[in-house]
C-alpha cells in the first residue's frame, strides 16, 4: 500500500536520523522502548542539539508529568525523566 514506509528501527545498529529520533522521542521519554533503542536515540540527541530544542522536550515533559499525576507514581516518573535529561545535558555539555 504505502511505498514510503520507514524501515523498522529494531535490529538496526546504525545511528538514528533526526526524524526517527524525534518520532521515537516520546517513547524514549516514556521509557517504553528497550534499552538499546533508547541508547541510540539518546546518542543522537546528544549529538544533535537542534533536535532537543526543536522538539521542546521540556514542554513535553511537563505535560507528561502532569498527565501521569493521574496515575501511581508521578514523582518517580518525574525523577526518571529528569535523570534522562540530565544525562543528555551532561553529554551535550561534554561535547561542546
Ligand atoms: Zn537530530
Amino acid at each position: 500500500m504505502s511505498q514510503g514506509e520507514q524501515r523498522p528501527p529494531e535490529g538496526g545498529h546504525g545511528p538514528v536520523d533526526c526524524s526517527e529520533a524525534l518520532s521515537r522521542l516520546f517513547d524514549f521519554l516514556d521509557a517504553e522502548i528497550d534499552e538499546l533503542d533508547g541508547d541510540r536515540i539518546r546518542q543522537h540527541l546528544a549529538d544533535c542539539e537542534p533536535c532537543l530544542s526543536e522538539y521542546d522536550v521540556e514542554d513535553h515533559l511537563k505535560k507528561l508529568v502532569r498527565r501521569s499525576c493521574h496515575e501511581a507514581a508521578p514523582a518517580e516518573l518525574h525523577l526518571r525523566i529528569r535523570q534522562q535529561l540530565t544525562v543528555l545535558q551532561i553529554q551535550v555539555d561534554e561535547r561542546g
Side-chain angles (χ1 to χ4, degrees):
M1 260 189 205
S2 62
Q3 285 191 322
E5 216 171 330
Q6 295 181 344
R7 59 193 176 87
E10 282 82 15
H13 296 292
V16 296
D17 60 18
C18 284
S19 59
E20 183 180 344
L22 291 181
S23 70
R24 308 204 72 199
L25 184 59
F26 289 136
D27 290 336
F28 168 64
L29 292 174
D30 275 325
E32 281 178 1
I33 58 179
D34 63 47
E35 210 173 310
L36 195 69
D37 277 343
D39 212 51
R40 289 165 64 218
I41 291 177
R42 189 163 48 214
Q43 195 78 48
H44 177 89
L45 291 178
D47 271 335
C48 187
E49 241 176 300
C51 270
L52 264 182
S53 48
E54 221 176 281
Y55 214 47
D56 232 343
V57 176
E58 294 216 33
D59 187 59
H60 172 68
L61 288 185
K62 284 174 196 158
K63 287 176 190 161
L64 192 70
V65 170
R66 202 184 326 169
R67 190 184 69 197
S68 66
C69 278
H70 208 60
E71 292 160 22
E76 187 190 318
L77 178 67
H78 199 169
L79 193 71
R80 197 171 60 202
I81 290 169
R82 282 192 66 118
Q83 274 175 347
Q84 301 265 33
L85 269 191
T86 303
V87 170
L88 277 175
Q89 280 164 353
I90 288 173
Q91 285 178 349
V92 170
D93 208 43
E94 281 176 350
R95 282 157 190 264

